[in-house]
């Protein structure tokens, strides 16, 4: 992993790349030209549009930019790109996030509970720091 395209307004992912010594690539909708993620990234490319449907949700544009700029990895940032993880991996790019099979299984409501256990996804309401620590401990103990 050398160059990470962050697909949707991911300021935190851009910072994490910088901290890890990785080049970051932001993509942005025209209204987001001056957004923090686009300004902070090592490189930034326009998705040539204004609405989410024609920009951040257009997996073909995102994959093309990743390939054209030499990114080897894609991070979903904020948003719905996780539903298109398979398109990223099909383009021989590394996907940062749950495997496409897990996303697809969890998207099928009747299978959520069963799949959640297979993929070690913790379910339930976390409202306090103590709750978060307990969930974290349970997840860590499964590894």
């Amino acid at each position: 992993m050398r160059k990470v395209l962050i697909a949707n307004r991911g300021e935190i992912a851009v910072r994490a790349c910088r901290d890890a010594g990785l080049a970051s690539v932001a993509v942005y909708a025209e209204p987001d030209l001056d957004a923090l993620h686009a300004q902070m990234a090592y490189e930034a490319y326009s998705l040539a549009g204004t609405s989410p449907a024609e920009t951040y949700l257009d997996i073909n544009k995102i994959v093309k930019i990743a390939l054209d700029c030499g990114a080897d990895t894609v991070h979903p940032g904020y948003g719905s790109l996780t539903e298109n993880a398979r398109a990223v991996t099909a383009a021989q790019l590394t996907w940062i996030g749950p495997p496409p099979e897990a996303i697809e299984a969890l998207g099928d409501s009747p299978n959520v509970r069963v799949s959640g256990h297979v993929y070690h996804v913790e379910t339930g309401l976390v409202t306090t720091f103590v709750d978060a620590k307990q969930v974290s401990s349970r997840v860590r103990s499964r590894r």
Side-chain angles (χ1 to χ4, degrees):
M1 186 172 9
R2 295 179 332 273
K3 192 175 194 180
V4 181
L5 182 138
I6 295 109
N8 188 354
R9 301 184 201 105
E11 300 88 18
I12 295 168
V14 172
R15 285 187 184 115
C17 286
R18 183 179 53 218
D19 292 347
L22 302 170
S24 59
V25 178
V27 291
Y28 59 88
E30 294 302 325
D32 295 331
L33 171 63
D34 295 321
L36 190 55
H37 75 288
Q39 298 302 311
M40 291 174 51
Y42 181 73
E43 299 173 32
Y45 296 93
S46 172
L47 288 165
T50 56
S51 74
E54 62 186 356
T55 58
Y56 298 113
L57 299 178
D58 189 334
I59 189 62
N60 295 321
K61 283 184 182 180
I62 291 167
V63 167
K64 181 177 181 344
I65 291 171
L67 294 171
D68 289 350
C69 77
D72 55 0
T73 306
V74 174
H75 183 285
Y78 304 117
S80 300
L81 187 64
T82 53
E83 296 166 3
N84 292 302
R86 195 169 296 286
V88 172
T89 59
Q92 303 303 308
L93 297 164
T94 300
W95 170 254
I96 297 176
E101 299 80 15
I103 296 164
E104 291 162 4
L106 292 174
D108 183 9
S109 295
N111 292 327
V112 169
R113 288 256 183 230
V114 173
S115 299
H117 293 291
V118 171
Y119 291 106
H120 304 292
V121 174
E122 188 66 36
T123 60
L125 182 62
V126 175
T127 58
T128 67
F129 182 70
V130 173
D131 291 343
K133 283 182 70 173
Q134 289 171 346
V135 169
S136 176
S137 293
R138 285 194 305 269
V139 170
R140 258 188 260 125
S141 70
R142 293 181 187 164
R143 292 183 182 167

